[in-house]
Amino acid sequence: MKQQSEFVGWGERSEPQQDDAGESIAGESALGFASLTPTTGGRKFRYRKNKNSGKMGPGPTPLAFYCYALTDEIAERHAFGFMFSQTLIREEDSVNLDTPFYLIDETRMIKYLERIKYVKDQSGAKSVLALKCFSNWCVFDLMRKYLDGTTSSGVYEARLGHEKFGGETHGYCVAYAREEVREMTEYCDKIIFNSINQFHAYKEMIGSIPVGLRINPQVGWSCHATSDPVRRYSRLGAPLSALPEDIGAELDGVMFHYNCDHEDFDGFSAHLNTIENNFGSLLQQVEWVSLGGGIAFTTDGYPLDDFCRVLKGFSRKFDVQVYLEPGEAAVTRSTSLVVTVLDIVHNERTTLIVDAGTEPHLLDVLTYGYAPTLEEGEILAWSDAEEFQEPEEGRVYVVCGRTCLAGDRFGIYRFDREIKIGDRLHFDNAGGYSMVKKNWFNGIKMPSIAHKRLDGAVNVIHVPTYEDYLLGKQNSCAALAPRA
Ligand SMILES: Cc1ncc(COP(=O)(O)O)c(C=O)c1O
Protein backbone atom coordinates (compact mmCIF):
# COMPACT_ATOMS: atom_id res chain seq x y z
CA MET A 1 0.00 0.00 0.00
CA LYS A 2 1.44 3.38 -0.89
CA GLN A 3 1.34 5.79 1.95
CA GLN A 4 1.84 9.42 2.43
CA SER A 5 2.18 10.93 5.85
CA GLU A 6 1.10 14.11 7.44
CA PHE A 7 2.47 15.66 10.59
CA VAL A 8 -0.29 16.00 13.12
CA GLY A 9 1.50 16.81 16.33
CA TRP A 10 3.80 15.60 19.01
CA GLY A 11 3.77 14.76 22.64
CA GLU A 12 5.48 12.87 25.37
CA ARG A 13 4.68 9.39 26.47
CA SER A 14 1.77 9.52 28.85
CA GLU A 15 -1.85 8.81 28.02
CA PRO A 16 -3.54 6.99 25.17
CA GLN A 17 -3.32 9.16 22.17
CA GLN A 18 -5.93 10.32 19.72
CA ASP A 19 -5.63 12.70 16.87
CA ASP A 20 -7.71 15.82 16.72
CA ALA A 21 -9.47 15.00 13.50
CA GLY A 22 -10.30 11.32 13.57
CA GLU A 23 -10.50 8.50 16.01
CA SER A 24 -7.03 7.28 16.57
CA ILE A 25 -3.74 7.36 14.87
CA ALA A 26 -3.43 4.39 12.58
CA GLY A 27 -1.65 1.24 13.58
CA GLU A 28 0.31 0.71 16.76
CA SER A 29 0.89 4.40 17.18
CA ALA A 30 -2.49 4.63 18.84
CA LEU A 31 -1.27 2.72 21.83
CA GLY A 32 0.03 4.32 24.94
CA PHE A 33 1.26 7.69 23.80
CA ALA A 34 0.55 11.23 24.61
CA SER A 35 -2.45 13.29 23.77
CA LEU A 36 -1.73 15.61 20.91
CA THR A 37 -2.81 18.75 22.64
CA PRO A 38 0.57 20.42 22.17
CA THR A 39 0.30 20.29 18.37
CA THR A 40 2.49 22.40 16.17
CA GLY A 41 -0.33 24.99 16.15
CA GLY A 42 1.63 27.69 14.38
CA ARG A 43 4.85 27.07 16.33
CA LYS A 44 7.55 25.96 14.01
CA PHE A 45 9.42 22.84 14.91
CA ARG A 46 12.14 21.41 12.86
CA TYR A 47 12.93 17.85 13.54
CA ARG A 48 15.61 15.28 13.19
CA LYS A 49 15.24 11.59 13.47
CA ASN A 50 17.90 10.96 16.08
CA LYS A 51 19.14 13.34 18.65
CA ASN A 52 22.52 13.76 17.08
CA SER A 53 21.91 12.72 13.55
CA GLY A 54 22.13 16.24 12.26
CA LYS A 55 19.31 15.48 9.84
CA MET A 56 16.95 18.37 10.31
CA GLY A 57 14.31 20.18 8.42
CA PRO A 58 10.81 19.60 7.22
CA GLY A 59 9.95 16.51 5.30
CA PRO A 60 7.54 13.65 5.17
CA THR A 61 7.30 11.56 8.31
CA PRO A 62 7.11 7.84 8.07
CA LEU A 63 3.99 5.91 8.96
CA ALA A 64 3.13 5.75 12.64
CA PHE A 65 5.40 7.43 15.15
CA TYR A 66 9.06 7.99 15.59
CA CYS A 67 11.04 9.57 18.30
CA TYR A 68 12.42 12.88 17.16
CA ALA A 69 14.45 15.61 18.62
CA LEU A 70 12.33 18.67 18.08
CA THR A 71 13.78 22.10 17.84
CA ASP A 72 11.62 25.06 18.58
CA GLU A 73 13.03 27.53 16.09
CA ILE A 74 11.85 30.55 17.96
CA ALA A 75 12.90 29.82 21.51
CA GLU A 76 15.82 27.65 20.46
CA ARG A 77 14.49 25.00 22.79
CA HIS A 78 14.98 21.36 22.16
CA ALA A 79 12.42 18.81 23.08
CA PHE A 80 12.13 15.14 22.64
CA GLY A 81 8.84 14.01 21.44
CA PHE A 82 7.03 11.50 19.42
CA MET A 83 6.06 12.58 16.02
CA PHE A 84 2.80 11.18 14.81
CA SER A 85 1.48 10.78 11.41
CA GLN A 86 -1.84 9.64 10.10
CA THR A 87 -1.91 7.08 7.37
CA LEU A 88 -3.01 8.88 4.28
CA ILE A 89 -3.67 6.84 1.22
CA ARG A 90 -3.71 8.48 -2.12
CA GLU A 91 -7.12 8.32 -3.75
CA GLU A 92 -6.06 5.98 -6.49
CA ASP A 93 -4.61 3.60 -3.94
CA SER A 94 -7.55 3.51 -1.58
CA VAL A 95 -8.72 0.23 -2.99
CA ASN A 96 -5.60 -1.38 -1.60
CA LEU A 97 -6.82 -1.27 1.97
CA ASP A 98 -7.69 -4.79 3.07
CA THR A 99 -11.39 -5.50 2.96
CA PRO A 100 -13.84 -5.37 4.48
CA PHE A 101 -13.91 -1.63 5.08
CA TYR A 102 -16.36 1.21 5.21
CA LEU A 103 -15.27 4.16 3.13
CA ILE A 104 -16.86 7.39 4.31
CA ASP A 105 -16.55 9.70 1.35
CA GLU A 106 -16.86 13.45 1.90
CA THR A 107 -16.89 14.06 -1.83
CA ARG A 108 -20.13 12.08 -2.00
CA MET A 109 -21.57 13.47 1.22
CA ILE A 110 -21.22 17.13 0.32
CA LYS A 111 -24.12 17.20 -2.12
CA TYR A 112 -26.55 16.12 0.60
CA LEU A 113 -25.06 18.45 3.18
CA GLU A 114 -25.51 21.33 0.78
CA ARG A 115 -29.19 20.48 0.44
CA ILE A 116 -29.54 20.57 4.21
CA LYS A 117 -27.94 23.99 4.31
CA TYR A 118 -30.15 25.15 1.45
CA VAL A 119 -33.23 24.23 3.49
CA LYS A 120 -31.95 26.29 6.38
CA ASP A 121 -31.17 29.27 4.18
CA GLN A 122 -34.54 29.17 2.42
CA SER A 123 -36.86 28.18 5.27
CA GLY A 124 -35.05 29.01 8.51
CA ALA A 125 -35.37 25.38 9.65
CA LYS A 126 -32.26 24.26 11.50
CA SER A 127 -30.96 20.73 11.20
CA VAL A 128 -29.35 18.68 13.94
CA LEU A 129 -27.61 15.44 13.04
CA ALA A 130 -29.24 12.32 14.52
CA LEU A 131 -26.22 10.56 16.00
CA LYS A 132 -28.15 7.31 16.35
CA CYS A 133 -27.83 6.99 12.59
CA PHE A 134 -24.25 8.10 12.10
CA SER A 135 -21.70 9.02 14.72
CA ASN A 136 -18.32 8.77 12.98
CA TRP A 137 -16.80 11.91 14.26
CA CYS A 138 -13.91 11.94 11.80
CA VAL A 139 -16.30 13.76 9.43
CA PHE A 140 -17.71 16.21 11.95
CA ASP A 141 -15.35 18.98 10.85
CA LEU A 142 -17.12 18.96 7.52
CA MET A 143 -20.62 18.26 8.79
CA ARG A 144 -20.71 21.04 11.33
CA LYS A 145 -20.38 23.57 8.51
CA TYR A 146 -23.78 22.45 7.26
CA LEU A 147 -25.72 21.40 10.34
CA ASP A 148 -26.50 23.30 13.51
CA GLY A 149 -25.62 20.57 15.97
CA THR A 150 -26.69 17.10 17.00
CA THR A 151 -29.50 15.22 18.61
CA SER A 152 -29.04 12.14 20.70
CA SER A 153 -30.75 9.04 21.96
CA GLY A 154 -28.97 8.90 25.27
CA VAL A 155 -26.08 10.05 27.39
CA TYR A 156 -23.15 8.86 25.29
CA GLU A 157 -24.47 10.37 22.10
CA ALA A 158 -25.26 13.62 23.90
CA ARG A 159 -21.70 13.74 25.18
CA LEU A 160 -20.27 12.90 21.78
CA GLY A 161 -22.36 15.64 20.19
CA HIS A 162 -21.34 18.18 22.79
CA GLU A 163 -17.65 17.32 22.79
CA LYS A 164 -16.99 16.47 19.16
CA PHE A 165 -19.59 18.30 17.08
CA GLY A 166 -20.52 21.37 19.08
CA GLY A 167 -23.29 23.78 18.16
CA GLU A 168 -26.65 22.84 19.59
CA THR A 169 -26.90 19.58 21.50
CA HIS A 170 -30.42 18.25 21.80
CA GLY A 171 -30.96 15.49 24.30
CA TYR A 172 -33.68 12.94 23.86
CA CYS A 173 -34.08 9.42 25.17
CA VAL A 174 -36.97 6.97 25.02
CA ALA A 175 -36.58 6.52 28.78
CA TYR A 176 -33.98 8.15 31.04
CA ALA A 177 -32.69 6.66 34.25
CA ARG A 178 -32.68 9.34 36.96
CA GLU A 179 -28.86 9.61 37.09
CA GLU A 180 -28.74 10.01 33.32
CA VAL A 181 -30.94 13.09 33.45
CA ARG A 182 -28.36 14.80 35.62
CA GLU A 183 -25.63 13.82 33.17
CA MET A 184 -27.64 15.06 30.20
CA THR A 185 -27.75 18.50 31.81
CA GLU A 186 -23.96 18.69 31.44
CA TYR A 187 -24.11 18.33 27.69
CA CYS A 188 -27.47 19.44 26.36
CA ASP A 189 -29.01 22.79 25.62
CA LYS A 190 -32.44 21.25 25.14
CA ILE A 191 -33.79 18.16 26.86
CA ILE A 192 -36.75 16.33 25.44
CA PHE A 193 -38.79 13.78 27.37
CA ASN A 194 -40.63 10.94 25.75
CA SER A 195 -43.57 10.69 28.15
CA ILE A 196 -45.59 12.78 30.54
CA ASN A 197 -44.40 10.50 33.35
CA GLN A 198 -40.74 11.25 32.72
CA PHE A 199 -41.46 14.91 32.14
CA HIS A 200 -43.11 15.22 35.55
CA ALA A 201 -40.52 13.06 37.29
CA TYR A 202 -37.45 14.92 36.00
CA LYS A 203 -38.34 18.39 34.82
CA GLU A 204 -37.14 19.93 38.11
CA MET A 205 -33.75 18.24 37.68
CA ILE A 206 -32.96 20.02 34.46
CA GLY A 207 -33.33 23.50 35.96
CA SER A 208 -33.36 26.24 33.39
CA ILE A 209 -32.45 24.08 30.38
CA PRO A 210 -35.22 24.40 27.79
CA VAL A 211 -37.51 21.42 28.04
CA GLY A 212 -39.43 19.60 25.34
CA LEU A 213 -41.85 16.73 25.06
CA ARG A 214 -42.05 14.20 22.27
CA ILE A 215 -45.56 13.92 20.88
CA ASN A 216 -46.97 11.09 18.84
CA PRO A 217 -49.11 12.82 16.22
CA GLN A 218 -50.65 9.49 15.16
CA VAL A 219 -50.01 10.28 11.53
CA GLY A 220 -46.79 9.54 9.71
CA TRP A 221 -45.13 7.14 7.34
CA SER A 222 -42.69 4.27 7.34
CA CYS A 223 -42.03 1.45 4.92
CA HIS A 224 -41.85 -1.06 7.74
CA ALA A 225 -43.75 -1.54 11.01
CA THR A 226 -40.47 -2.00 12.92
CA SER A 227 -39.44 1.55 12.15
CA ASP A 228 -42.88 3.13 12.24
CA PRO A 229 -42.89 5.59 15.17
CA VAL A 230 -46.66 6.02 15.01
CA ARG A 231 -47.54 2.35 14.80
CA ARG A 232 -50.44 1.14 16.89
CA TYR A 233 -49.67 1.13 20.63
CA SER A 234 -46.45 3.05 19.95
CA ARG A 235 -44.50 4.00 23.08
CA LEU A 236 -42.70 6.76 21.22
CA GLY A 237 -44.09 10.09 22.33
CA ALA A 238 -47.28 11.11 24.10
CA PRO A 239 -50.43 10.85 22.01
CA LEU A 240 -52.99 13.65 22.11
CA SER A 241 -55.13 11.70 24.58
CA ALA A 242 -52.27 11.63 27.12
CA LEU A 243 -51.60 15.38 27.07
CA PRO A 244 -52.79 17.38 30.07
CA GLU A 245 -54.71 20.43 28.88
CA ASP A 246 -52.30 22.98 30.30
CA ILE A 247 -49.09 21.21 29.23
CA GLY A 248 -48.20 23.90 26.69
CA ALA A 249 -47.53 26.42 29.46
CA GLU A 250 -44.83 24.15 30.91
CA LEU A 251 -43.00 23.38 27.67
CA ASP A 252 -40.42 25.28 25.65
CA GLY A 253 -40.71 22.97 22.70
CA VAL A 254 -42.13 19.81 21.23
CA MET A 255 -40.72 17.07 19.04
CA PHE A 256 -42.64 15.03 16.51
CA HIS A 257 -40.66 12.21 14.94
CA TYR A 258 -43.19 10.41 12.82
CA ASN A 259 -41.52 9.34 9.57
CA CYS A 260 -38.98 6.88 8.29
CA ASP A 261 -37.44 7.15 4.82
CA HIS A 262 -40.45 9.19 3.73
CA GLU A 263 -39.85 10.33 0.15
CA ASP A 264 -43.33 11.63 -0.62
CA PHE A 265 -43.54 15.38 -0.13
CA ASP A 266 -47.33 15.52 -0.57
CA GLY A 267 -47.72 12.93 2.16
CA PHE A 268 -45.40 14.91 4.43
CA SER A 269 -47.31 18.07 3.76
CA ALA A 270 -50.70 16.45 4.44
CA HIS A 271 -49.47 15.05 7.76
CA LEU A 272 -48.10 18.42 8.77
CA ASN A 273 -51.52 19.88 8.12
CA THR A 274 -53.06 17.31 10.45
CA ILE A 275 -50.50 18.21 13.10
CA GLU A 276 -51.37 21.90 12.71
CA ASN A 277 -55.06 21.13 13.12
CA ASN A 278 -54.72 18.74 16.05
CA PHE A 279 -52.04 20.51 18.05
CA GLY A 280 -52.59 24.14 17.02
CA SER A 281 -53.10 25.61 20.48
CA LEU A 282 -50.08 23.77 21.89
CA LEU A 283 -47.94 24.92 18.97
CA GLN A 284 -48.94 28.52 19.67
CA GLN A 285 -47.41 28.24 23.13
CA VAL A 286 -43.99 26.76 22.41
CA GLU A 287 -40.83 28.33 21.01
CA TRP A 288 -39.48 25.47 18.96
CA VAL A 289 -40.81 22.46 17.14
CA SER A 290 -38.71 19.57 15.92
CA LEU A 291 -40.20 17.61 13.06
CA GLY A 292 -37.75 14.77 13.70
CA GLY A 293 -35.96 12.70 11.12
CA GLY A 294 -37.10 10.20 8.53
CA ILE A 295 -37.89 12.82 5.88
CA ALA A 296 -35.94 11.96 2.74
CA PHE A 297 -35.64 15.59 1.70
CA THR A 298 -32.09 15.31 0.40
CA THR A 299 -33.00 12.59 -2.09
CA ASP A 300 -32.59 13.49 -5.76
CA GLY A 301 -35.86 14.83 -7.09
CA TYR A 302 -37.40 15.78 -3.72
CA PRO A 303 -39.19 19.12 -4.24
CA LEU A 304 -36.88 21.08 -2.00
CA ASP A 305 -38.39 24.51 -2.66
CA ASP A 306 -41.90 23.28 -1.83
CA PHE A 307 -40.52 21.68 1.30
CA CYS A 308 -38.89 24.99 2.30
CA ARG A 309 -42.10 26.88 1.61
CA VAL A 310 -44.12 24.56 3.86
CA LEU A 311 -41.56 24.68 6.66
CA LYS A 312 -41.37 28.45 6.48
CA GLY A 313 -45.18 28.75 6.53
CA PHE A 314 -45.36 26.48 9.58
CA SER A 315 -42.67 28.42 11.38
CA ARG A 316 -44.39 31.75 10.71
CA LYS A 317 -47.87 30.54 11.54
CA PHE A 318 -46.88 29.41 15.03
CA ASP A 319 -43.91 31.70 15.50
CA VAL A 320 -41.60 28.79 16.24
CA GLN A 321 -38.07 27.77 15.36
CA VAL A 322 -38.39 24.61 13.30
CA TYR A 323 -35.81 21.84 13.61
CA LEU A 324 -35.20 18.80 11.45
CA GLU A 325 -33.25 15.81 12.75
CA PRO A 326 -31.74 14.21 9.66
CA GLY A 327 -29.84 11.00 10.12
CA GLU A 328 -30.12 9.02 6.91
CA ALA A 329 -30.80 12.20 4.91
CA ALA A 330 -27.41 13.58 5.98
CA VAL A 331 -25.34 10.53 5.06
CA THR A 332 -27.27 9.10 2.11
CA ARG A 333 -24.91 7.47 -0.37
CA SER A 334 -21.90 8.86 1.46
CA THR A 335 -20.38 5.58 2.53
CA SER A 336 -19.54 2.27 0.90
CA LEU A 337 -18.99 -1.09 2.49
CA VAL A 338 -16.23 -2.59 0.39
CA VAL A 339 -15.97 -6.38 0.44
CA THR A 340 -14.10 -9.15 -1.36
CA VAL A 341 -15.56 -12.33 -2.80
CA LEU A 342 -13.98 -15.20 -0.86
CA ASP A 343 -15.78 -18.14 -2.38
CA ILE A 344 -18.32 -19.05 -5.03
CA VAL A 345 -20.65 -21.99 -4.44
CA HIS A 346 -23.51 -23.44 -6.41
CA ASN A 347 -26.77 -24.91 -5.18
CA GLU A 348 -29.37 -24.23 -7.87
CA ARG A 349 -28.14 -20.64 -7.84
CA THR A 350 -24.59 -19.40 -7.89
CA THR A 351 -23.71 -17.71 -4.63
CA LEU A 352 -20.88 -15.31 -3.88
CA ILE A 353 -19.64 -15.45 -0.30
CA VAL A 354 -18.04 -12.15 0.70
CA ASP A 355 -15.81 -11.26 3.64
CA ALA A 356 -18.52 -9.38 5.57
CA GLY A 357 -21.93 -10.22 6.96
CA THR A 358 -25.36 -8.65 7.02
CA GLU A 359 -25.97 -9.12 10.72
CA PRO A 360 -22.67 -7.70 11.92
CA HIS A 361 -22.05 -5.06 9.23
CA LEU A 362 -25.30 -4.06 7.51
CA LEU A 363 -27.86 -5.10 10.04
CA ASP A 364 -30.78 -3.18 8.56
CA VAL A 365 -30.73 -5.50 5.57
CA LEU A 366 -32.05 -8.22 7.88
CA THR A 367 -34.21 -6.02 10.07
CA TYR A 368 -36.09 -4.51 7.17
CA GLY A 369 -35.59 -7.21 4.55
CA TYR A 370 -34.18 -5.33 1.59
CA ALA A 371 -31.26 -5.76 -0.78
CA PRO A 372 -28.71 -2.96 -0.43
CA THR A 373 -27.59 -1.23 -3.60
CA LEU A 374 -24.42 -2.61 -5.08
CA GLU A 375 -22.21 -0.59 -7.40
CA GLU A 376 -21.42 -3.61 -9.59
CA GLY A 377 -24.85 -5.20 -9.80
CA GLU A 378 -28.53 -4.56 -10.30
CA ILE A 379 -30.89 -5.67 -7.53
CA LEU A 380 -33.30 -8.39 -8.58
CA ALA A 381 -34.67 -9.43 -5.21
CA TRP A 382 -33.79 -9.83 -1.58
CA SER A 383 -35.50 -13.06 -0.65
CA ASP A 384 -36.29 -16.22 -2.56
CA ALA A 385 -39.96 -15.50 -2.02
CA GLU A 386 -39.80 -12.44 -4.26
CA GLU A 387 -40.53 -13.15 -7.85
CA PHE A 388 -38.39 -11.59 -10.55
CA GLN A 389 -37.82 -12.04 -14.21
CA GLU A 390 -34.64 -14.00 -14.94
CA PRO A 391 -32.57 -11.53 -16.96
CA GLU A 392 -31.69 -12.46 -20.50
CA GLU A 393 -28.21 -11.01 -20.27
CA GLY A 394 -25.54 -10.91 -17.66
CA ARG A 395 -25.12 -13.23 -14.71
CA VAL A 396 -27.25 -13.70 -11.66
CA TYR A 397 -25.59 -14.19 -8.30
CA VAL A 398 -26.87 -14.41 -4.78
CA VAL A 399 -24.54 -12.31 -2.63
CA CYS A 400 -24.15 -13.69 0.87
CA GLY A 401 -22.15 -12.98 3.98
CA ARG A 402 -19.79 -15.36 5.70
CA THR A 403 -21.45 -15.67 9.10
CA CYS A 404 -23.07 -18.96 10.12
CA LEU A 405 -26.55 -17.47 9.77
CA ALA A 406 -28.35 -19.34 6.99
CA GLY A 407 -30.15 -16.15 5.98
CA ASP A 408 -26.99 -14.03 5.89
CA ARG A 409 -27.73 -12.75 2.43
CA PHE A 410 -27.47 -9.29 0.93
CA GLY A 411 -29.63 -10.06 -2.06
CA ILE A 412 -29.91 -11.45 -5.55
CA TYR A 413 -28.23 -9.32 -8.20
CA ARG A 414 -27.61 -9.24 -11.90
CA PHE A 415 -24.04 -8.50 -12.92
CA ASP A 416 -22.84 -7.55 -16.38
CA ARG A 417 -19.79 -9.72 -16.05
CA GLU A 418 -18.64 -12.93 -14.48
CA ILE A 419 -17.54 -12.45 -10.90
CA LYS A 420 -14.43 -14.23 -9.70
CA ILE A 421 -12.99 -15.06 -6.33
CA GLY A 422 -10.95 -12.06 -5.21
CA ASP A 423 -13.18 -9.47 -6.89
CA ARG A 424 -14.23 -6.49 -4.84
CA LEU A 425 -17.83 -5.39 -4.47
CA HIS A 426 -19.11 -2.06 -3.14
CA PHE A 427 -22.35 -1.63 -1.22
CA ASP A 428 -22.59 2.05 -1.93
CA ASN A 429 -25.17 3.31 0.57
CA ALA A 430 -23.88 1.93 3.82
CA GLY A 431 -23.52 5.06 5.95
CA GLY A 432 -26.71 5.14 7.97
CA TYR A 433 -27.38 2.67 10.80
CA SER A 434 -24.50 0.38 9.82
CA MET A 435 -21.37 1.49 11.67
CA VAL A 436 -23.47 2.45 14.70
CA LYS A 437 -24.76 -1.12 14.89
CA LYS A 438 -21.77 -3.20 13.88
CA ASN A 439 -20.87 -6.10 16.13
CA TRP A 440 -18.50 -9.03 16.49
CA PHE A 441 -20.95 -11.79 15.58
CA ASN A 442 -18.98 -14.95 14.65
CA GLY A 443 -15.81 -13.10 15.59
CA ILE A 444 -15.35 -12.18 11.98
CA LYS A 445 -13.06 -9.34 11.13
CA MET A 446 -14.77 -6.02 11.75
CA PRO A 447 -14.56 -3.72 8.72
CA SER A 448 -11.90 -1.04 8.91
CA ILE A 449 -13.05 2.53 8.59
CA ALA A 450 -11.52 4.85 6.03
CA HIS A 451 -12.36 8.49 5.49
CA LYS A 452 -11.99 10.11 2.10
CA ARG A 453 -11.63 13.84 2.44
CA LEU A 454 -12.83 16.50 0.07
CA ASP A 455 -9.31 16.83 -1.33
CA GLY A 456 -9.37 13.13 -2.27
CA ALA A 457 -6.92 11.87 0.35
CA VAL A 458 -8.08 8.79 2.19
CA ASN A 459 -7.34 8.63 5.89
CA VAL A 460 -7.44 5.25 7.58
CA ILE A 461 -9.37 5.89 10.77
CA HIS A 462 -9.37 2.49 12.32
CA VAL A 463 -8.17 -1.00 11.48
CA PRO A 464 -9.77 -3.35 13.99
CA THR A 465 -7.55 -6.00 15.48
CA TYR A 466 -7.87 -9.04 17.66
CA GLU A 467 -7.29 -6.72 20.63
CA ASP A 468 -10.46 -4.81 19.74
CA TYR A 469 -12.30 -8.10 19.61
CA LEU A 470 -10.95 -9.03 23.04
CA LEU A 471 -12.03 -5.69 24.47
CA GLY A 472 -15.48 -6.13 23.03
CA LYS A 473 -15.79 -9.53 24.66
CA GLN A 474 -14.30 -8.79 28.02
CA ASN A 475 -15.96 -5.81 29.53
CA SER A 476 -14.51 -6.03 32.98
CA CYS A 477 -12.61 -8.57 35.00
CA ALA A 478 -13.01 -6.58 38.19
CA ALA A 479 -15.44 -7.93 40.76
CA LEU A 480 -18.23 -5.46 41.41
CA ALA A 481 -18.30 -4.13 44.92
CA PRO A 482 -21.72 -4.64 46.50
CA ARG A 483 -23.88 -1.56 46.46
CA ALA A 484 -23.96 0.29 49.73
C1 LIG B 1 -36.17 10.95 17.39
C2 LIG B 1 -35.47 10.66 16.12
N1 LIG B 1 -34.94 11.68 15.42
C3 LIG B 1 -34.27 11.47 14.26
C4 LIG B 1 -34.12 10.21 13.76
C5 LIG B 1 -33.35 10.04 12.48
O1 LIG B 1 -34.12 9.47 11.50
P1 LIG B 1 -33.55 9.21 10.03
O2 LIG B 1 -32.21 8.62 10.16
O3 LIG B 1 -34.53 8.28 9.43
O4 LIG B 1 -33.52 10.54 9.36
C6 LIG B 1 -34.66 9.12 14.44
C7 LIG B 1 -34.53 7.75 13.92
O5 LIG B 1 -34.98 6.78 14.47
C8 LIG B 1 -35.35 9.34 15.66
O6 LIG B 1 -35.87 8.33 16.38
Side-chain angles (χ1 to χ4, degrees):
M1 182 199 307
K2 284 186 205 149
Q3 281 148 349
Q4 185 193 328
S5 297
E6 185 183 63
F7 180 80
V8 291
W10 68 280
E12 290 167 303
R13 182 192 281 266
S14 60
E15 293 164 2
Q17 170 257 325
Q18 289 188 324
D19 71 20
D20 48 8
E23 281 177 354
S24 61
I25 301 302
E28 314 82 5
S29 61
L31 298 174
F33 292 96
S35 125
L36 286 179
T37 6
T39 55
T40 43
R43 292 167 71 197
K44 278 199 172 167
F45 282 101
R46 296 189 301 164
Y47 66 89
R48 56 190 185 213
K49 191 167 177 184
N50 299 305
K51 191 179 169 194
N52 297 312
S53 72
K55 181 175 175 280
M56 295 182 71
T61 62
L63 169 68
F65 61 89
Y66 278 83
C67 179
Y68 284 95
L70 300 170
T71 305
D72 180 330
E73 279 184 344
I74 300 157
E76 288 291 309
R77 276 191 312 242
H78 295 266
F80 286 105
F82 293 91
M83 198 158 206
F84 299 93
S85 67
Q86 296 176 310
T87 309
L88 291 179
I89 303 170
R90 289 216 311 272
E91 185 175 3
E92 63 272 24
D93 301 319
S94 64
V95 285
N96 288 334
L97 180 62
D98 283 347
T99 62
F101 63 88
Y102 298 100
L103 178 65
I104 307 168
D105 187 342
E106 289 187 354
T107 65
R108 284 166 49 185
M109 183 180 273
I110 193 85
K111 165 171 139 186
Y112 302 96
L113 294 178
E114 271 167 2
R115 287 177 184 169
I116 290 174
K117 179 79 170 25
Y118 181 82
V119 168
K120 181 179 175 188
D121 293 345
Q122 299 301 312
S123 74
K126 295 183 180 177
S127 278
V128 285
L129 175 67
L131 293 173
K132 71 189 73 192
C133 170
F134 181 90
S135 52
N136 289 75
W137 49 279
C138 56
V139 218
F140 285 1
D141 278 347
L142 176 73
M143 297 184 98
R144 80 166 69 82
K145 294 181 186 149
Y146 297 86
L147 292 116
D148 288 279
T150 56
T151 185
S152 55
S153 347
V155 172
Y156 285 174
E157 284 184 0
R159 181 171 175 182
L160 178 75
H162 174 70
E163 291 181 356
K164 298 291 184 195
F165 198 104
E168 296 191 31
T169 308
H170 296 198
Y172 163 75
C173 184
V174 172
Y176 297 102
R178 173 172 289 276
E179 60 277 14
E180 289 172 342
V181 177
R182 193 206 49 73
E183 216 181 324
M184 292 299 269
T185 62
E186 287 176 31
Y187 312 124
C188 300
D189 40 50
K190 288 183 179 53
I191 294 186
I192 301 166
F193 292 102
N194 181 62
S195 72
I196 294 288
N197 270 348
Q198 289 232 318
F199 170 72
H200 282 140
Y202 302 132
K203 69 173 180 205
E204 299 304 333
M205 280 176 72
I206 69 169
S208 58
I209 297 175
V211 62
L213 179 69
R214 177 168 178 177
I215 293 178
N216 172 356
Q218 294 174 291
V219 290
W221 191 89
S222 173
C223 60
H224 201 285
T226 306
S227 56
D228 182 359
V230 296
R231 58 193 271 161
R232 196 168 179 204
Y233 310 129
S234 176
R235 72 197 189 295
L236 302 172
L240 188 58
S241 58
L243 295 180
E245 222 170 88
D246 54 352
I247 190 75
E250 296 187 74
L251 294 173
D252 296 295
V254 288
M255 187 257 270
F256 301 92
H257 170 72
Y258 54 111
N259 289 291
C260 181
D261 284 339
H262 195 185
E263 291 188 359
D264 171 22
F265 166 73
D266 292 336
F268 166 80
S269 193
H271 292 150
L272 196 61
N273 252 321
T274 308
I275 290 175
E276 291 184 15
N277 294 335
N278 293 349
F279 299 92
S281 59
L282 173 57
L283 294 172
Q284 299 284 4
Q285 294 177 72
V286 295
E287 285 166 25
W288 44 269
V289 176
S290 169
L291 297 175
I295 309 163
F297 67 95
T298 58
T299 313
D300 290 349
Y302 195 89
L304 222 47
D305 288 320
D306 293 337
F307 184 57
C308 293
R309 183 180 40 75
V310 164
L311 295 180
K312 196 169 177 177
F314 181 90
S315 163
R316 287 202 171 150
K317 183 168 175 183
F318 298 105
D319 189 21
V320 289
Q321 171 64 55
V322 171
Y323 286 94
L324 300 167
E325 302 181 2
E328 193 64 61
V331 297
T332 301
R333 311 207 81 81
S334 66
T335 301
S336 306
L337 172 62
V338 186
V339 300
T340 299
V341 176
L342 296 180
D343 200 3
I344 301 179
V345 296
H346 191 85
N347 180 358
E348 291 186 61
R349 284 202 182 280
T350 306
T351 294
L352 312 177
I353 304 178
V354 302
D355 57 359
T358 49
E359 192 153 37
H361 309 137
L362 269 189
L363 183 58
D364 280 3
V365 164
L366 289 188
T367 310
Y368 302 115
Y370 71 94
T373 54
L374 191 58
E375 224 166 85
E376 294 78 4
E378 173 198 347
I379 299 170
L380 297 174
W382 177 63
S383 78
D384 297 324
E386 286 169 64
E387 296 211 347
F388 63 89
Q389 179 106 38
E390 291 293 335
E392 283 170 14
E393 289 180 358
R395 299 186 181 239
V396 175
Y397 294 105
V398 188
V399 180
C400 286
R402 63 156 146 166
T403 70
C404 62
L405 186 75
D408 183 0
R409 100 155 13 164
F410 293 92
I412 308 173
Y413 300 83
R414 189 192 75 81
F415 291 72
D416 284 333
R417 59 181 173 90
E418 183 189 354
I419 300 295
K420 300 211 173 67
I421 290 175
D423 283 354
R424 284 189 170 194
L425 304 178
H426 301 73
F427 295 104
D428 62 0
N429 190 13
Y433 302 99
S434 57
M435 290 172 281
V436 291
K437 295 185 180 183
K438 66 190 185 327
N439 60 68
W440 286 106
F441 181 48
N442 273 211
I444 63 172
K445 202 174 144 194
M446 186 84 84
S448 301
I449 296 180
H451 166 208
K452 181 170 162 189
R453 303 187 316 205
L454 281 184
D455 63 9
V458 179
N459 181 12
V460 178
I461 298 297
H462 189 58
V463 179
T465 60
Y466 178 66
E467 279 65 39
D468 293 311
Y469 171 70
L470 277 185
L471 274 176
K473 297 280 137 193
Q474 187 80 319
N475 296 327
S476 171
C477 296
L480 283 177
R483 275 179 190 264

